[in-house]
Amino acid sequence: MTRLLVVEDDPDLSLALRVLLSRDGYEVSLAADGREGLRLLFAERPALMVLDLVLPGLDGWEVLDRTRDMSDLPVLVLSGLGEPEDRVRALRSGADDYLVKPFAQAELLARIEALLRRAGPGGWAGETVEQDLRLVPERRSALWLGTEIRLSDIEYRLLQLLVRNRGRVVTTEQLLDQVWDDAAAIGRDRVKFGVLRLRRKLRYAGGPLARDPIESVRGLGYRYETTDHRSPAG
């Protein structure tokens, strides 16, 4: 049975969603706040999350951000925030769909079905990305060639974004926007020195003969190359 996670602080709506989704054949877990939602997300690894944005304590924006560090699972935002800027912000932050309250039950079910139909097997960042690398989101670290590397939040987000786009160039502007929240791309040197620090940590963990998985693409940005694309140095 497909498991869904509903993160919603309104107890009446939360119960109604459980009844509705259970009747449609889903197994449903409920969380009333952001921290409980993240705990269940990591413990149960559902196939899809229905997420409210206005939550006590850790809000839905932070839950969405941390979810994208751990997984590519579909996220359907179900919120009373109906302004276009809220929808745009959520979609740019990694939400897959956005439905405004109040909503039609049939539309909610149809959107969930569509997201699950399009979803892949579900890439969790905590799983092995390739034979040399494993990301560990709960510790903000990475296992590189069997050695754990402790990373700053910026370094983790930088590596995670490069890995999620492995084999493709991520431009300096995209890195500034998504890692440093610098949409104006003012601090371009941030990227250069951030990549330099990350490379040093990978080199220290892997030793002098280990391959450098981060390739500089002159004038564009950076690309993470997998083992399939490169052979170890030496």
Side-chain angles (χ1 to χ4, degrees), residues 153-155 157-158 161 174-181:
D153 186 61
I154 287 292
E155 290 165 348
R157 291 169 65 184
L158 175 59
L161 181 60
Q174 288 172 323
L175 290 169
L176 279 168
D177 184 20
Q178 299 181 49
V179 177
W180 280 269
D181 297 319

Side-chain angles (χ1 to χ4, degrees), residues 25 52 60 71 80 97 109 112 125 138 141 145 149 151 167 171 178-179 181 194 202 218-219 222:
D52 187 14
S71 174
D97 202 353
L109 293 174
I112 289 174
E138 67 272 22
S141 67
L145 298 173
I149 308 170
L151 303 171
T171 68
Q178 299 181 49
V179 177
D181 297 319
L202 293 172
R218 188 176 180 85
Y222 299 88

Side-chain angles (χ1 to χ4, degrees), residues 82-226:
E83 296 299 320
E85 54 265 31
D86 295 314
R87 300 186 191 210
V88 170
R89 179 185 173 188
L91 293 170
R92 285 182 172 171
S93 297
D96 297 278
D97 202 353
Y98 197 109
L99 187 59
V100 177
K101 304 173 186 175
F103 56 90
Q105 295 182 2
E107 182 179 4
L108 173 65
L109 293 174
R111 287 177 182 244
I112 289 174
E113 290 170 9
L115 287 175
L116 291 173
R117 189 166 55 246
R118 295 198 300 264
W124 284 82
E127 296 177 353
T128 301
V129 176
E130 57 158 329
Q131 68 179 47
D132 293 337
L133 179 69
R134 176 185 173 92
L135 298 179
V136 188
E138 67 272 22
R139 292 172 59 86
R140 274 300 193 264
S141 67
L143 289 174
W144 173 244
L145 298 173
T147 299
E148 184 173 19
I149 308 170
R150 299 307 297 268
L151 303 171
S152 69
D153 186 61
I154 287 292
E155 290 165 348
Y156 183 89
R157 291 169 65 184
L158 175 59
L159 180 59
Q160 190 257 355
L161 181 60
L162 289 171
V163 165
R164 287 182 63 187
N165 291 278
R166 54 190 178 273
R168 300 192 298 269
V169 175
V170 183
T171 68
T172 299
E173 290 75 18
Q174 288 172 323
L175 290 169
L176 279 168
D177 184 20
Q178 299 181 49
V179 177
W180 280 269
D181 297 319
D182 182 5
I186 296 173
R188 296 174 65 88
D189 282 345
R190 295 178 183 177
V191 175
K192 180 174 67 176
F193 290 112
V195 170
L196 179 63
R197 288 191 295 269
L198 182 57
R199 278 174 162 163
R200 283 175 177 169
K201 290 188 175 183
L202 293 172
R203 188 180 306 117
Y204 182 81
L209 298 181
R211 67 187 180 94
D212 180 0
I214 302 175
E215 177 185 354
S216 300
V217 181
R218 188 176 180 85
L220 292 177
Y222 299 88
R223 174 169 51 213
Y224 183 95
E225 290 287 9
T226 66

